[in-house]
Amino acid sequence: MAQNLTERSQAITVAENITRLVPYRPGKPIAEVERELGITGIIKLASNENSLGPSPKAVEAMQQFAAKMHHYPDAASYDLRQALAAHLHVAPETIVLGNGSDDIIHLLGVTFLEPGDEIIQGDPSFVRYAAAAILNNAPCHSVPLSADWVHDTDAMAQCINAHTRIVFIPNPNNPTGTTVGRAALQRLLDKLPERALLIIDEAYYEYATDAPDYPDSLQWVRDGRNVVVLRTFSKAYGLAGLRLGFGVMPPHLAEWLHRTREPFNVNLMAQAAGVAALSDTAHIARTVALNNEGKQEFSRAFTQWGLDYTQSWGNFVWVNVGRDCRAVFDALLHRGVITRTGDIFGAPTHLRVTIGTPEENAKFLIALQEVLQA
Ligand SMILES: Cc1ncc(COP(=O)(O)O)c(C=O)c1O
């Protein structure tokens, strides 16, 4: 039997590029840590979720639609696209919805990367861009961030060649929280060849609007430039578990994605919850205010302890703990706090920590102080 299995598994081969893909490593779930360590009261500050949860209006919408799940969702997501179009002041034809913005990143790669095409990304940045490159056999140029962890758009521009098809800029960046200003993005955009796309990933948009010179990137879409703006309901909207994100792009690009996406890639509950969540602007305001308070609290503590950290415009901080981040991560885990290690982003002494509720932030800071003093 065992031999049969081995023989069978050896008979299955995949393309060389597929062997280079590695499964995504998500933040450790609370239940897993409880099981492994036998402790309770754990907090998760590892996946940049909104600790306040979703808007109560979104929860109510989901409850209402739970009894309608025998119906297929609207494949065109008409209501949600209309609501988003009004909210963003763009035409509904510019919006492509996805099963999270991950789905749109995947679709952009599948749809637009032809043999010989290349992508350019910053390093470190969100790991799904490189995955899209590998999946579609496209060489990926990873351009180091500047010394202060900001995307070096001029160095990225120097990597542009005739094969460049996609340039990814997360703004703010994950894991560093840093932003790129309007002028720098405009310079990069103007250097792109005609068939190349600039993907501006604004997963943390709601937290970032006060960042210096933060661009109104949707204007490039309205102007018909080859720009795709990614947004999500997973972060400030607190709906990560529902999987709902979208891309805004000129209709000549959106049309292709409507061909490659699954017909029902956004479920019924997600469409209803999205409309309701958009209407609850007070929930977003509360979320952003709480995040700003938490950010200040973290900054005060890190400054006092002499730890280097970036000026983050997301709902997380990027801090240099000055020693092996895996050891610090493990010690925090035993104190009931799940964080994210920097080594997966090539920064072996950094942690990425989501900003939570005041209680969660206090628990993390007490735990970190104990660990660093030990
Ligand atoms: C920069 C960035 N883009 C996209 C995503 C994907 O988010 P989702 O697929 O939940 O919309 C994340 C999630 O962490 C992210 O940090």
Side-chain angles (χ1 to χ4, degrees):
M1 183 68 181
Q3 197 183 357
N4 269 350
L5 270 181
T6 312
E7 277 168 12
R8 264 185 252 151
S9 69
Q10 279 171 354
I12 299 296
T13 58
V14 294
E16 185 277 331
N17 61 313
I18 303 297
T19 66
R20 282 185 283 124
L21 283 170
V22 286
Y24 181 69
R25 282 165 57 184
K28 241 173 151 35
I30 288 177
E32 186 179 303
V33 180
E34 281 179 350
R35 253 191 334 267
E36 285 176 1
L37 300 184
I39 53 175
T40 53
I42 292 162
I43 60 167
K44 183 180 171 207
L45 302 177
S47 300
N48 303 341
E49 296 152 336
N50 180 352
S51 287
L52 284 184
S55 150
K57 292 184 180 179
V59 174
E60 198 189 320
M62 286 187 275
Q63 280 162 348
Q64 273 177 18
F65 273 81
K68 299 182 185 172
M69 295 303 278
H70 53 300
H71 288 300
Y72 277 93
D74 171 10
S77 299
Y78 179 85
D79 290 341
L80 181 52
R81 282 169 76 212
Q82 291 292 324
L84 273 171
H87 186 76
L88 302 173
H89 309 289
V90 296
E93 296 72 37
T94 62
I95 297 169
V96 179
L97 290 157
N99 186 35
S101 49
D102 277 342
D103 189 19
I104 308 292
I105 295 168
H106 173 82
L107 288 172
L108 286 166
V110 168
T111 309
F112 293 112
L113 289 171
E114 296 179 62
D117 285 349
E118 300 180 358
I119 82 160
I120 302 174
Q121 66 161 2
D123 183 24
S125 74
F126 187 49
V127 293
R128 299 307 297 165
Y129 313 144
I134 295 172
L135 179 63
N136 298 287
N137 239 331
C140 174
H141 298 277
S142 295
V143 180
L145 304 192
S146 67
D148 48 358
W149 300 101
V150 178
H151 270 73
D152 186 344
T153 47
D154 293 326
M156 292 175 85
Q158 279 171 16
C159 280
I160 293 171
N161 62 38
H163 303 290
T164 302
R165 190 75 206 267
I166 295 182
V167 180
F168 283 104
I169 300 278
N171 204 27
N173 185 35
N174 174 8
T176 62
T178 47
T179 53
V180 176
R182 195 200 57 79
L185 274 182
Q186 181 76 61
R187 273 202 309 279
L188 183 60
L189 179 59
D190 290 343
K191 292 212 171 93
L192 283 179
E194 223 169 48
R195 62 188 288 281
L197 309 176
L198 178 62
I199 316 296
I200 306 173
D201 182 347
E202 297 183 342
Y204 302 95
Y205 169 82
E206 293 78 10
Y207 299 106
T209 48
D210 287 339
D213 195 30
Y214 192 70
D216 172 13
S217 53
L218 290 177
Q219 191 53 46
W220 286 310
V221 176
R222 292 185 201 102
D223 292 345
R225 302 293 299 263
N226 281 345
V227 168
V228 177
V229 178
L230 301 180
R231 300 264 178 97
T232 182
F233 284 84
S234 296
K235 306 300 177 186
Y237 285 95
L239 289 165
L242 195 61
R243 311 307 299 129
L244 180 60
F246 59 96
V248 190
M249 65 204 83
H252 67 270
L253 300 178
E255 278 165 21
W256 294 117
L257 263 63
H258 284 303
R259 297 190 194 201
T260 51
R261 73 174 173 87
E262 290 176 20
F264 304 112
N265 63 336
V266 180
N267 69 70
L268 196 57
M269 266 196 195
Q271 293 185 28
V275 173
L278 270 185
S279 73
D280 196 348
T281 49
H283 186 68
I284 295 294
R286 244 189 332 271
T287 293
V288 172
L290 196 73
N291 191 65
N292 286 339
E293 281 168 30
K295 202 160 62 172
Q296 278 174 18
E297 216 177 304
F298 281 8
S299 299
R300 266 196 300 274
F302 297 158
T303 304
Q304 202 182 336
W305 302 338
L307 302 180
D308 274 346
Y309 60 97
T310 54
Q311 161 77 294
S312 172
W313 293 97
N315 64 341
F316 54 90
V317 289
W318 178 242
V319 57
N320 189 347
V321 290
R323 59 187 84 177
D324 174 19
C325 64
R326 291 221 68 88
V328 177
F329 168 87
D330 280 335
L332 290 171
L333 207 59
H334 281 83
R335 286 165 175 78
V337 183
I338 313 173
T339 57
R340 201 60 164 264
T341 55
D343 56 346
I344 50 177
F345 301 102
T349 62
H350 272 77
L351 283 182
R352 194 196 70 193
V353 187
T354 305
I355 298 165
T357 61
E359 298 73 31
E360 289 174 331
N361 298 340
K363 181 171 170 127
F364 161 69
L365 288 175
I366 290 168
L368 182 63
Q369 194 173 25
E370 280 174 14
V371 170
L372 295 181
Q373 281 173 353

